[in-house]
Amino acid sequence: MSVTVLVGSQWGDEGKGKIVDILSEKYEIVTRYQGGANAGHTVELENKKYVLHLIPSGILRDDVTCVIGNGVVIDPVALLEEIKFIESCGIKVEGRLFISHNAHLIMPYHKLLDSISESGENKIGTTGRGIGPCYIDKFARKGIRIVDLLDRKILERKIRENLKEKNNLLQKVYDHAALDVDEIIKQYQEFDKAIDVYVKDTPAYLNNAIEEGKSVLLEGAQGALLDVDHGTYPYVTSSSPTSGGACTGTGIPPTKIDSVYGIVKAYTTRVGNGPFPTELLDETGDKLRNVGAEFGATTGRPRRCGWFDAFLVKYSAMINGITDVAITKLDVLSSFEEINVCTGYEIDGKLLKSFPTDVDRLSEAKPVYETLPGWNEDISTCRSYVELPEKTKAYLKFISEKSGIKLNIISVGAKRSETFFV
Ligand code: GDP
Ligand code: IMO
Ligand code: MG
């Protein structure tokens, strides 16, 4: 029985959803701990594809209980839509999904403020889901939480207080029309019944479950380089996707965490703005995007693509304390004659000793590459490490040595079956 945190090791979209689905066969509880509906986690079963935004990817296995932790910001509209979709696929949700009473609510003004700030200069390239503005209110101690939905009077008071300030901001600073406070109160008061059945004191629930010997998988969203503290600030999300965030985002203490699974894509992608040293702005990048179907699961935006960055993954392994690794999308590299791997960065001809998260320095950094021969054959039917071509094994050995990681799972296709343990 164990408690494992699963993190994205790069800039998100590493295939976390797929690996959560694989691992959750062995876990009783899967819980999200941060982010919100900015996430898009894909799970492809043999004949159906699911994209999950708020509900943990463990929902697709009948015997798994799912929890949305206190660190997640919840858009009730998106959540209820997702529950409806999952149920329409014949999957039971009630009784299997619990939501923290302390999770913060995404309000209509959060989405509006997200889009207004993205219409100016210095765009982050957010998903537009209201994530940043909601976490701003959380840390400014003005947020409205799931528990507030359960008392109509308290909810009304909090919405009125917030709207007074937000309408001032909208009208006076952004020259935008005020929002209708009564309409928002009415809309949010109607969520009480639909949400009530899911609300729980999740820190107590999770800690009791661990005490009883149950296994828990903590599903991170986004990725280490999008972490508000450890990522490429300010081109990050507004939460803590790294493993440390799993404790504050669920109420599970660090002393209860047994291992950290890092999900690592066999090359690198990024959505949104910000420096990306190994980005390929040529036909090789286009090929990675097309072969890897690198289009956002939440916004549909084309993902920026580039070579594997071992310097970045080594940094990510350090701040996350990665103990186990799943390498995903290895099949996407099958048709490349040669494959580059970045082993370090240079600025002004000098090799850097540590990964620069300062974006000005990172923008100046020139990747140092080693070129490996491609394997040029289909590996999507391989179901064990020994079946892989020698050149594929050499690539895996090289990237794991340079990144300081040990591979445990290899994924050679989007489907559940296209996976094996090393
Ligand atoms: P997440 O946000 O980390 O869960 O990743 P996304 O779901 O946003 O993006 C990963 C995409 O790659 C999804 O479309 C998956 O179905 C797909 N995928 C996952 N693993 C593999 C793999 O090993 N090979 C291929 N070709 N696709 C994969
Ligand atoms: P999953 O969980 C990739 C990126 C956005 C933008 C930045 C801030 O599917 O890996 P936000 O809306 O969070 O304020 O946007 O973070 N971003 C993601 N990129 N995968 C994600 O989630 C992401 N969630 C946010 O593109 O650059
Ligand atoms: Mg995604």
Side-chain angles (χ1 to χ4, degrees):
M1 291 305 126
S2 62
V3 181
T4 301
V5 185
L6 179 145
V7 293
S9 309
Q10 294 143 318
W11 273 294
D13 303 328
E14 297 88 352
K16 297 177 290 294
K18 174 182 165 162
I19 304 300
V20 169
D21 172 65
I22 298 289
L23 291 176
S24 59
E25 195 182 5
K26 298 202 182 79
Y27 287 81
E28 286 152 291
I29 299 170
V30 178
T31 175
R32 280 276 306 270
Y33 59 86
Q34 46 67 236
N38 49 349
H41 294 181
T42 315
V43 181
E44 249 190 85
L45 306 187
E46 291 325 298
N47 46 18
K48 189 156 173 69
K49 178 169 149 176
Y50 297 86
V51 181
L52 297 151
H53 301 284
L54 276 164
I55 300 180
S57 306
I59 200 76
L60 304 178
R61 295 199 183 258
D62 295 340
D63 47 359
V64 170
T65 301
C66 291
V67 174
I68 301 181
N70 54 277
V72 177
V73 286
I74 300 176
D75 177 351
V77 181
L79 177 68
L80 294 173
E81 243 170 48
E82 200 166 319
I83 291 174
K84 208 162 138 197
F85 164 71
I86 297 288
E87 282 178 339
S88 75
C89 301
I91 297 166
K92 193 172 167 282
V93 178
E94 206 181 309
R96 292 186 53 219
L97 174 71
F98 299 119
I99 305 170
S100 170
H101 55 328
N102 285 342
H104 280 246
L105 287 169
I106 300 236
M107 304 297 292
Y109 44 83
H110 293 139
K111 286 190 260 190
L112 178 60
L113 289 167
D114 195 357
S115 85
I116 290 175
S117 73
E118 285 288 284
S119 62
E121 279 167 26
N122 302 324
K123 291 184 183 59
I124 304 293
T126 73
T127 59
R129 298 298 187 268
I131 305 296
C134 184
Y135 279 113
I136 289 174
D137 280 354
K138 171 175 174 171
F139 285 93
R141 295 153 296 177
K142 291 174 181 161
I144 305 180
R145 304 194 288 182
I146 286 286
V147 65
D148 299 322
L149 285 179
L150 308 183
D151 185 317
R152 291 187 167 207
K153 280 214 181 81
I154 292 178
L155 180 69
E156 176 172 351
R157 175 174 56 76
K158 292 195 175 178
I159 295 179
R160 283 199 192 284
E161 278 167 13
N162 269 278
L163 253 288
K164 208 183 276 175
E165 188 188 286
K166 295 298 186 277
N167 274 339
N168 239 331
L169 180 70
L170 285 170
Q171 291 172 293
K172 294 190 181 145
V173 178
Y174 296 120
D175 199 20
H176 192 284
L179 294 175
D180 184 336
V181 60
D182 295 317
E183 201 175 288
I184 297 175
I185 291 168
K186 187 164 170 276
Q187 185 196 5
Y188 274 65
Q189 280 183 335
E190 278 167 14
F191 291 132
D192 58 354
K193 282 194 197 70
I195 296 284
D196 189 29
V197 290
Y198 302 106
V199 183
K200 223 183 186 47
D201 174 356
T202 55
Y205 170 77
L206 290 167
N207 279 288
N208 287 337
I210 294 168
E211 209 55 45
E212 285 166 13
K214 292 204 170 114
S215 50
V216 182
L217 182 61
L218 296 105
E219 175 177 359
Q222 289 80 53
L225 276 296
L226 288 171
D227 187 284
V228 71
D229 285 283
H230 304 291
T232 48
Y233 190 90
Y235 299 100
V236 292
T237 191
S238 302
S239 68
S240 306
T242 47
S243 55
C247 293
T248 50
T250 56
I252 298 174
T255 45
K256 296 271 163 63
I257 308 287
D258 298 299
S259 56
V260 179
Y261 237 101
I263 313 306
V264 178
K265 200 180 275 194
Y267 48 96
T268 315
T269 62
R270 171 164 208 175
V271 207
N273 301 331
F276 177 176
T278 65
E279 181 171 21
L280 292 163
L281 295 164
D282 55 10
E283 60 277 14
T284 311
D286 293 343
K287 184 173 165 183
L288 276 173
R289 185 176 311 105
N290 291 328
V291 179
E294 294 294 355
F295 296 89
T298 296
T299 58
R301 289 179 291 177
R303 294 176 183 150
R304 299 158 65 192
C305 297
W307 295 121
F308 187 84
D309 188 338
F311 198 47
L312 178 153
V313 173
K314 195 172 184 177
Y315 166 72
S316 179
M318 175 183 79
I319 53 167
N320 283 302
I322 290 174
T323 57
D324 300 82
V325 167
I327 188 110
T328 59
K329 306 196 88 159
L330 190 58
D331 54 300
V332 175
L333 295 177
S334 290
S335 61
F336 289 80
E337 289 291 328
E338 287 186 328
I339 305 171
N340 285 345
V341 175
C342 167
T343 56
Y345 297 159
E346 271 180 3
I347 294 181
D348 297 331
K350 278 205 187 110
L351 212 53
L352 301 193
K353 288 203 175 78
S354 56
F355 187 85
T357 48
D358 170 68
V359 287
D360 295 313
R361 269 171 67 72
L362 191 59
S363 306
E364 279 178 54
K366 300 267 172 300
V368 177
Y369 287 119
E370 283 209 31
T371 304
L372 279 77
W375 46 90
N376 263 302
E377 59 181 290
D378 181 19
I379 58 165
S380 64
T381 53
C382 293
R383 291 295 175 269
S384 67
Y385 184 77
V386 287
E387 284 173 62
L388 290 173
E390 288 309 314
K391 285 181 180 145
T392 316
K393 289 181 193 158
Y395 180 73
L396 292 176
K397 187 165 178 280
F398 188 79
I399 63 168
S400 45
E401 275 174 13
K402 293 291 173 193
S403 316
I405 53 173
K406 188 181 139 284
L407 307 185
N408 303 71
I409 292 181
I410 293 173
S411 173
V412 292
K415 294 200 163 67
R416 196 184 254 179
S417 59
E418 291 167 325
T419 325
F420 51 86
F421 284 82
V422 177

